[in-house]
Amino acid sequence: MRAVLMAGGSGTRLRPLTCDLPKPMVPILNRPIAEHIINLLKRHNITEVIATLYYLPDVMRDYFQDGSDFGVQMTYAVEEDQPLGTAGCVKNIAELLDDTFIVISGDSITDFDLKAAIEFHKSRHSKATIVLYRVPNPVEFGVVITDENMRIRRFLEKPSTSEIFSDTVNTGTYILEPSVLDYLPESTESDFSKDLFPLLLEKGEPMYGFVADGYWCDVGHLDAYRESQYDALHQKVEIDFAYEQQKPGLWVGQNTSIDATAKIETPALIGSNCRIGPGVNIEAGTIIGDNVTVGAYADLKRPILWNGSIIGDEVHLRACVIARGTRVDRRAHVLEGAVVGSLSTVGEEAQISPSVRVWPSKKIESGAILNMNLIWGNTAQRNLFGQRGVQGLANVDITPEFAVKLGAAYGSTLKPGSQVTVSRDQRSISRMVSRSLIAGLMSVGVHVQNLEATAIPIARLVVPTLAVIGGIHVRVHPDRPDYILIEIFDSHGINISKAKEKKIEGAYFKEDFRRSPIPEIGNVNYPSQLLDLYSVGFERHLNVQAIHNSGAKLVIDYAYAVSGAVLPVLLAKFGCDAVVLNASLNQMSMSAAEREGLLTQLGQVVEALKANFGVQVSANGEQLILVDESGMPVRGETLTALMVSVMLTAHPRSAVVVPVHTSGAVEQIARRHDGRVIRTKANPAALMEASQTNPNVILGGSEEMGFIFPQLHPGFDAMFCIAKLIEMLTIQERSLGQIRSELPRVCHKTYTMRCPWTVKGALMRHLVETHANEDLELIDGVKIVDRYTDSWVLILPDAGETLVHVFANSDDRDWVDANLRKYRTYVQEFIEQQQGLELPKAESAV
């Protein structure tokens, strides 16, 4: 016997799940509905299947192909020009149906006894048998009434409440004789329930109803879709599971890693190649597809996660559907009945309210509260550039496709034939991204000087020497080892302005790219002697003789960064006795804990060798931590103050540039040397620009970003900083320990708390409105200054995270503790008050 699988529907009521997927291919327990139907047919020895297709026909054909992998023989009939209806599409393949055949819907889940239905059909000598099912609420279905012999006497398609005369409904499964198709016209739209069956009834043809036992669910809308999943998981229907049962009620696919601290209630299903992080809570009823990643401490209460979805740390999911390839970022909430379409992104701490539907490929910005369906456009497009260039999860946000498009967008803002440099750290992911950027640049007619794996200080220094219009540097993010950071320089090696960033963003989001003809495609060149160029500048701004005569012994931990291939060559020229640790370039990115372990090791080596000092280099040559002669780390605000002291001692009456939140110790040091402190916004571009544009600046930066020596180049440079320290310590005849002991004793503390994006602006406005103008500095955030004591509190919203930082600074520790407590409470109460006020308004705002 042949079966006709009705697979033509677009599943309008299942949107947004069926925007790019025909309804029969929607997954139930990680297998398409159509596959469960084919398994049902196969269990009843029906192995010849003809699928009638209309909506996105290639999806099903590509999946099942000839059916051999599924134990059946599959053929396909595609309605090319227009839909022919349930009966018309079967009439269209009448020549293939020369014996009794079964028609079965491709959008229902059932375990009916088809063999019993076929035997019933044959025993009644029926021309058409409708498989019926009794349901509590038949309004959504075609109602059928039969006589005592089960012969159909009357039916009504989807009756109103007042028209209900039976609880026995049409399931869309029919056993038919080929002769009934003679009643249907050729190539004309027609329906079994509306056209053929009423006609057979009128003609007196024998037509029967078989009331089936078992389970049946018409997956016609989103609530039914979820319920059918949960029913299948609880084994209320007999279907085949795709994975082995590890223990009662828990099915897990192959090559799946589940952290030992994850908690799983049964029943639950987890697909193949999944990664379940530490502390994850998976409640009974949860269904997880293949290739899914679930971050640490995520809370999953009966969500349905399709293949390839990525769930961030501390995410809360409540009986929702997350479709294919969708990413839900850290601390986001998706609530009961919500559906997020494929390839969408839900930002950090965003919330999708109950029953809200998000169509495919949408982006919900961080902190948004979505209370209405998102069909057209986006809630708000995330900016491409953050506080520090373009950054995102490696190979998730920052992919080859993304990088090609970014390269084309940047190149399209430049004149054809322009030249830019491209450089990177030594990581494989950075190599992949930089090559994709180069491809994008070339496609719009921009030539590339490929510096390959290069420390970022070298990349910045050589930009002005190569007659290029700018540069791009790709590296693993200094603070997040799973992130990639892409920075774009201007012709001076300084990070580009906000105005230039906006131009690139405009080209990217509008896809306003020029396409160059073959003769104008960009070229790639590989400049040589970069280290020589850097070395010349390096030596020009150092007292080389002092370094040669220093007799300094130092220990340098390169933390497996590319600077490990550069600095040893330079220091060797100056006769420095440098012991090198961890200079290999093969190590992958390190966690903060691993880096701390290396710092402890560095301190032990410095002390054992009686070295003058040690230094750990990070951020691809931009940042460092010092270790003094006793093996104690010099870091944080102490490191910033130490560098300011060293440089102003050597260059009195000069200026230093620091971010707004740096300890007040720098002002006290500057007063000792008749110097000047310039404070800037707390971002790298602001520090670089201020260091270049203000006169007489001899140092810029801070411990968290690195230090700038403007005479050398405009960027942060840990390598030059090391050489400069050797020079300064030699000339000043001091050790790091001595300098540290002479630093002002200033108490500087910070506290960080969560703050939704929607509250940050209101918080800043409230602080300004409730404090006297003469007590405020508004360089970045809001700084409240006590003019009598030079004490201050700074409330600074984080530019990239849903955080706000509170800094307190004074010579008086008690003042710091009291005011830090005061403003922590002040800010927390305001956030709670605003969240209570904002939630009702969000319904109309988003």
Side-chain angles (χ1 to χ4, degrees):
M1 176 180 282
R2 289 189 175 93
V4 178
L5 178 60
M6 307 292 291
S10 61
T12 304
R13 296 176 66 198
L14 277 177
R15 299 291 174 88
L17 299 180
T18 56
C19 291
D20 55 359
L21 201 64
K23 187 158 72 164
M25 295 303 293
V26 169
I28 299 287
L29 298 190
N30 299 351
R31 282 181 166 172
I33 295 173
E35 186 175 347
H36 291 298
I37 295 296
I38 286 172
N39 288 338
L40 174 69
L41 293 169
K42 194 169 59 173
R43 284 201 296 271
H44 292 89
N45 298 318
I46 302 171
T47 57
E48 291 184 55
V49 181
I50 305 166
T52 62
L53 309 176
Y54 178 70
Y55 179 70
L56 301 175
D58 288 342
V59 176
M60 179 173 280
R61 284 193 296 203
D62 290 346
Y63 186 85
F64 290 103
Q65 299 187 28
D66 66 359
S68 57
D69 290 344
F70 301 86
V72 296
Q73 176 187 323
M74 292 284 292
T75 54
Y76 304 92
V78 181
E79 301 165 59
E80 298 285 356
D81 300 322
Q82 64 178 20
L84 295 174
T86 58
C89 66
V90 177
K91 173 68 174 179
N92 202 37
I93 56 170
E95 71 277 4
L96 301 176
L97 304 169
D98 54 2
D99 199 357
T100 305
F101 62 95
I102 184 169
V103 174
I104 189 164
S105 170
D107 53 18
S108 60
I109 291 295
T110 182
D111 56 7
F112 287 162
D113 186 348
L114 299 181
K115 184 178 179 182
I118 294 166
E119 289 175 354
F120 172 89
H121 171 83
K122 291 183 177 179
S123 69
R124 296 297 197 276
H125 302 287
S126 176
K127 288 294 183 71
T129 297
I130 303 175
V131 178
L132 307 175
Y133 192 71
R134 292 193 170 97
V135 297
N137 182 10
V139 171
E140 291 288 324
F141 310 104
V143 174
V144 179
I145 194 163
T146 61
D147 63 16
E148 65 276 8
N149 295 317
M150 301 308 295
R151 186 159 180 164
I152 293 173
R153 294 304 181 190
R154 188 180 175 198
F155 54 84
L156 184 65
E157 183 69 13
K158 296 186 179 178
S160 65
T161 306
S162 63
E163 294 175 312
I164 294 173
F165 49 82
S166 173
D167 64 349
T168 308
V169 300
N170 178 357
T171 65
T173 299
Y174 317 119
I175 302 155
L176 305 173
E177 295 301 319
S179 61
V180 301
L181 300 179
D182 295 338
Y183 287 99
L184 295 172
E186 297 279 353
S187 303
T188 303
E189 183 176 357
S190 56
D191 186 87
F192 281 117
S193 297
K194 295 176 183 176
D195 302 306
L196 180 60
F197 295 154
L199 185 57
L200 293 177
L201 204 59
E202 180 186 326
K203 297 293 185 181
E205 292 280 10
M207 185 165 56
Y208 287 81
F210 174 80
V211 180
D213 295 321
Y215 179 92
W216 176 76
C217 179
D218 176 28
V219 187
H221 51 83
L222 291 168
D223 289 341
Y225 174 68
R226 285 192 301 276
E227 288 307 314
S228 65
Q229 293 261 21
Y230 299 144
D231 288 345
L233 189 61
H234 284 86
Q235 301 182 76
K236 294 180 180 179
V237 55
E238 181 186 353
I239 64 172
D240 297 332
F241 282 72
Y243 317 108
E244 290 186 4
Q245 190 170 198
Q246 284 200 350
K247 65 178 184 179
L250 178 61
W251 293 265
V252 180
Q254 296 181 346
N255 196 32
T256 282
S257 170
I258 302 174
D259 191 273
T261 60
K263 298 178 181 177
I264 304 176
E265 293 180 4
T266 58
L269 181 140
I270 303 172
S272 298
N273 306 309
C274 294
R275 297 292 177 267
I276 310 299
V280 170
N281 180 47
I282 297 176
E283 288 197 2
T286 297
I287 297 159
I288 299 175
D290 297 333
N291 306 304
V292 171
T293 300
V294 180
Y297 302 101
D299 189 17
L300 310 186
K301 289 183 169 63
R302 300 199 309 151
I304 298 164
L305 308 180
W306 287 19
N307 295 352
S309 50
I310 299 172
I311 309 303
D313 296 347
E314 299 178 49
V315 162
H316 292 256
L317 303 179
R318 301 286 183 270
C320 55
V321 180
I322 306 296
R324 171 181 57 88
T326 286
R327 200 180 91 217
V328 184
D329 285 342
R330 184 168 49 179
R331 298 192 182 95
H333 289 66
V334 185
L335 304 181
E336 290 86 349
V339 177
V340 184
S342 60
L343 304 177
S344 293
T345 300
V346 181
E348 290 191 2
E349 295 196 3
Q351 176 178 303
I352 300 179
S353 297
S355 301
V356 167
R357 303 178 189 182
V358 178
W359 259 240
S361 301
K362 301 296 182 234
K363 292 186 179 181
I364 313 301
E365 73 170 345
S366 297
I369 300 174
L370 187 64
N371 295 299
M372 57 172 51
N373 293 344
L374 181 58
I375 302 173
W376 307 110
N378 297 314
T379 51
Q381 183 63 62
R382 183 187 67 178
N383 291 335
L384 201 58
F385 287 83
Q387 185 182 29
R388 189 173 189 168
V390 179
Q391 56 185 287
L393 279 166
N395 220 19
V396 175
D397 295 319
I398 309 297
T399 61
E401 311 91 89
F402 171 87
V404 168
K405 191 175 170 183
L406 177 61
Y410 172 43
S412 294
T413 66
L414 309 175
K415 293 179 179 178
S418 299
Q419 295 197 56
V420 300
T421 63
V422 176
S423 56
R424 58 177 174 82
D425 66 16
Q426 79 281 8
R427 314 293 183 199
S428 297
I429 181 70
S430 303
R431 181 188 298 113
M432 178 188 78
V433 171
S434 67
R435 287 176 175 174
S436 301
L437 284 163
I438 289 169
L441 289 162
M442 293 173 64
S443 73
V444 296
V446 172
H447 305 301
V448 174
Q449 300 285 337
N450 189 355
L451 310 185
E452 302 185 283
T454 308
I456 193 169
I458 296 177
R460 290 189 190 274
L461 181 140
V462 302
V463 162
T465 71
L466 293 175
V468 296
I469 202 164
I472 304 178
H473 188 79
V474 182
R475 55 176 162 157
V476 171
H477 196 288
D479 304 320
R480 300 190 67 169
D482 55 343
Y483 267 51
I484 285 290
L485 174 62
I486 302 171
E487 292 174 278
I488 302 180
F489 314 148
D490 65 13
S491 58
H492 302 290
I494 299 174
N495 285 26
I496 58 173
S497 66
K498 291 297 179 186
K500 184 66 175 177
E501 289 178 356
K502 292 298 181 187
K503 284 184 68 176
I504 297 170
E505 284 180 354
Y508 178 90
F509 291 125
K510 295 174 185 174
E511 300 198 10
D512 185 15
F513 312 143
R514 64 172 179 263
R515 292 300 178 198
S516 298
I518 291 177
E520 297 174 15
I521 295 292
N523 298 318
V524 180
N525 294 309
Y526 297 85
S528 59
Q529 300 179 324
L530 298 180
L531 185 55
D532 292 341
L533 283 171
Y534 181 73
S535 179
V536 168
F538 202 87
E539 293 182 45
R540 186 185 301 132
H541 298 288
L542 288 172
N543 185 331
V544 176
Q545 192 61 44
I547 297 175
H548 267 294
N549 296 335
S550 67
K553 178 186 287 187
L554 64 154
V555 183
I556 307 176
D557 175 11
Y558 294 108
Y560 306 107
V562 71
S563 53
V566 176
L567 192 52
V569 178
L570 296 172
L571 292 178
K573 294 175 66 174
F574 307 141
C576 289
D577 183 7
V579 177
V580 175
L581 306 178
N582 305 317
S584 166
L585 299 184
N586 298 323
Q587 176 77 12
M588 297 301 293
S589 300
M590 288 185 296
S591 66
E594 290 169 330
R595 192 174 295 279
E596 283 298 311
L598 293 183
L599 190 62
T600 301
Q601 176 197 68
L602 174 62
Q604 293 168 347
V605 173
V606 167
E607 188 177 16
L609 296 180
K610 295 182 171 54
N612 295 84
F613 67 91
V615 60
Q616 183 183 81
V617 182
S618 61
N620 201 20
E622 281 195 333
Q623 297 170 16
L624 53 77
I625 296 174
L626 296 176
V627 171
D628 69 14
E629 63 274 16
S630 66
M632 295 296 294
V634 182
R635 63 201 310 180
E637 296 297 330
T638 303
L639 175 57
T640 305
L642 184 145
M643 288 303 304
V644 168
S645 177
V646 166
M647 294 303 294
L648 285 178
T649 299
H651 303 278
R653 295 179 297 281
S654 297
V656 294
V657 175
V658 296
V660 64
H661 55 75
T662 299
S663 162
V666 295
E667 275 86 5
Q668 295 191 29
I669 294 167
R671 283 195 287 269
R672 293 177 184 175
H673 302 284
D674 199 19
R676 182 166 61 103
V677 175
I678 301 166
R679 289 183 179 259
T680 73
K681 292 181 181 295
N683 68 69
L687 283 163
M688 283 187 272
E689 184 177 351
S691 297
Q692 286 293 310
T693 56
N694 284 283
N696 208 24
V697 173
I698 46 96
L699 181 72
S702 67
E703 55 83 22
E704 64 179 340
M705 299 181 203
F707 296 101
I708 300 168
F709 299 86
Q711 296 77 19
L712 177 64
H713 66 82
F716 309 98
D717 194 335
M719 300 184 292
F720 186 78
C721 186
I722 294 169
K724 199 70 177 174
L725 266 175
I726 297 171
E727 173 195 322
M728 294 291 103
L729 295 179
T730 302
I731 293 172
Q732 296 173 22
E733 298 182 345
R734 296 192 294 172
S735 68
L736 290 185
Q738 289 173 321
I739 297 171
R740 175 155 60 179
S741 67
E742 296 167 3
L743 295 177
R745 295 290 180 259
V746 175
C747 184
H748 184 84
K749 291 186 178 181
T750 182
Y751 182 81
T752 299
M753 64 185 77
R754 311 300 305 180
C755 181
W757 294 102
T758 52
V759 177
K760 287 182 179 180
L763 172 62
M764 295 297 101
R765 185 185 70 246
H766 183 68
L767 288 164
V768 171
E769 290 174 350
T770 54
H771 291 80
N773 288 339
E774 60 270 19
D775 296 334
L776 297 180
E777 291 181 6
L778 304 177
I779 296 170
D780 199 4
V782 175
K783 182 182 279 189
I784 301 110
V785 181
D786 183 335
R787 301 293 178 184
Y788 298 104
T789 64
D790 281 344
S791 303
W792 48 262
V793 172
L794 171 67
I795 294 90
L796 182 65
D798 194 283
E801 304 275 350
T802 51
L803 303 172
V804 65
H805 309 284
V806 182
F807 298 87
N809 182 95
S810 177
D811 293 342
D812 184 343
R813 182 177 296 274
D814 292 337
W815 188 96
V816 167
D817 290 339
N819 279 274
L820 193 60
R821 280 194 304 271
K822 171 185 172 181
Y823 281 95
R824 278 173 53 183
T825 304
Y826 182 96
V827 171
Q828 188 61 49
E829 288 177 351
F830 183 82
I831 291 171
E832 291 170 358
Q833 177 191 19
Q834 286 295 305
Q835 286 183 301
L837 292 173
E838 290 289 337
L839 278 173
K841 295 179 183 178
E843 294 184 5
S844 58
V846 178

